[in-house]
Amino acid sequence: MSKTIITCAITGAIHTPTMSDALPVTPGDIAGQAIAAAEAGAAIIHLHARHPETGAPSVDPAHFQLFLPQIRQATDAVINISTGGNPVMTVAERIPAALRFSPEMCSLNMGSMNFAIHPLADRYTRWKEDWEEGYIRASEGNIFRNTFADIRMVARELGGDPHHVKFEHECYDVGHLYNLKFCLDQGYFRKPIFLQFVMGILGGISAELENLMFLKKTADKLFGDGYQWSAIGAGAQQMRIAATAAMMGGHVRVGLEDSLFIARGEKAISNAQQVERIASILELQGNEIATPAEARAILGLKGADRVAI
Ligand code: KMH
Ligand code: ZN
């Protein structure tokens, strides 16, 4: 079994400042927590940006510029820039940072969905920022748009010359694997493709072990041995899904983007704490953790010297 790649997703666009004091929302905190997560064993750092004053999700390259150089200088970790940004934007609005910085990896969402986080709003009565509640409740009516045309455009703009970005294909349901198979057959992507099973997001497949088995079985059927895969368990399922995925030969993703917890009912104090926790679980169950160099070899990445950061 190849070594296990740990991805850490530092801040995302799901959680908001009120939900956890550990969630990094300033550029300094995003950089600091990303560096600490890499030092704790994350070979890939998945990054969203936030408005430096309000902490609101941002896709502005100028906001990524406030932390990317520090991370690049302090670690050898693979930088993975989100093209998911904010669920109400079009893909064209969401890719400027990836075009500007030409990272080794980007997320690419493999289907449209109602990416719903509105139930989170009922857990809080007071908010630090005036945008938070409206942002969260609006997701009940949002369509996170990722059409075949959008996917083809991102593949063309970022996958080929001059960027040669490797995609973390975010699959929120089994149908997204069939979408990816269609796109692969159309020649949009080169193998090995890297699947991210995103489980436990309302609007997508639930984070149950039989669903993880089903996703893996479907991926085997569709992609043979031409793929690498990882899994995210959103919320309380994070460590359970990660540990099981690694036992099945998959890679893992943790981070405050998708879970604010370190254990059932216990909030995490940082991204690094989540990375340390999954690293110790993986080592106890016999998985060896991949270095950034090993992750580059496994995924066929272009190399840190070819990014524009
Ligand atoms: N937050 C994850 C559920 C992206 O950034 O493009 C999915 C994600 C998507 O990370
Ligand atoms: Zn993301």
Side-chain angles (χ1 to χ4, degrees), residues 87-110:
V88 295
M89 295 175 180
T90 64
V91 170
E93 290 166 330
R94 297 167 359 207
I95 65 170
L99 291 170
R100 162 76 183 74
F101 298 109
S102 193
E104 292 187 81
M105 296 185 75
C106 282
S107 60
L108 179 50
N109 294 277
M110 295 311 300

Side-chain angles (χ1 to χ4, degrees), residues 91-296:
V91 170
E93 290 166 330
R94 297 167 359 207
I95 65 170
L99 291 170
R100 162 76 183 74
F101 298 109
S102 193
E104 292 187 81
M105 296 185 75
C106 282
S107 60
L108 179 50
N109 294 277
M110 295 311 300
S112 302
M113 64 187 281
N114 184 176
F115 191 125
I117 56 173
H118 59 287
L120 289 176
D122 297 332
R123 298 183 191 174
Y124 305 90
T125 51
R126 296 161 50 83
W127 300 93
K128 288 181 183 172
E129 300 288 344
D130 58 10
W131 59 267
E132 291 183 66
E133 186 175 12
Y135 172 80
I136 296 161
R137 291 198 185 283
S139 70
E140 184 179 21
N142 287 348
I143 294 296
F144 183 35
R145 181 188 137 151
N146 300 288
T147 63
F148 286 104
D150 293 330
I151 293 166
R152 180 162 59 88
M153 184 272 282
V154 176
R156 185 186 65 240
E157 292 298 314
L158 287 166
D161 274 332
H163 299 293
H164 301 290
V165 165
K166 176 68 73 173
F167 296 109
E168 175 189 318
H169 294 280
E170 316 285 350
C171 300
Y172 298 77
D173 214 330
V174 68
H176 292 177
L177 295 176
Y178 288 88
N179 294 355
L180 177 51
K181 170 67 173 161
F182 170 82
C183 296
L184 190 64
D185 291 347
Q186 296 293 307
Y188 299 172
F189 306 113
R190 57 182 163 77
K191 289 186 176 181
I193 51 175
F194 181 46
L195 311 183
Q196 187 67 261
F197 299 154
V198 184
M199 306 181 74
I201 296 290
L202 181 58
I205 200 164
S206 70
E208 291 167 275
L209 296 190
E210 63 263 35
N211 286 339
L212 182 56
M213 307 294 168
F214 179 38
L215 288 166
K216 173 70 170 68
K217 193 161 167 286
T218 305
D220 286 342
K221 179 177 75 175
L222 294 177
F223 307 116
D225 57 5
Y227 77 101
Q228 291 285 327
W229 68 282
S230 177
I232 303 172
Q237 301 306 319
Q238 182 177 72
M239 296 299 165
R240 199 161 155 265
I241 290 293
T244 308
M247 238 183 275
M248 292 165 60
H251 305 292
V252 303
R253 180 168 134 173
V254 296
L256 296 173
E257 169 167 338
D258 300 306
S259 175
L260 297 174
F261 296 92
I262 189 67
R264 188 174 296 282
E266 184 187 351
K267 288 213 170 163
I269 59 171
S270 68
N271 281 283
Q273 185 194 29
Q274 291 178 328
V275 174
E276 285 157 2
R277 179 63 54 89
I278 196 59
S280 59
I281 292 169
L282 294 183
E283 278 159 359
L284 280 172
Q285 65 185 36
N287 292 99
E288 281 188 87
I289 294 160
T291 64
E294 288 164 336
R296 290 186 172 97

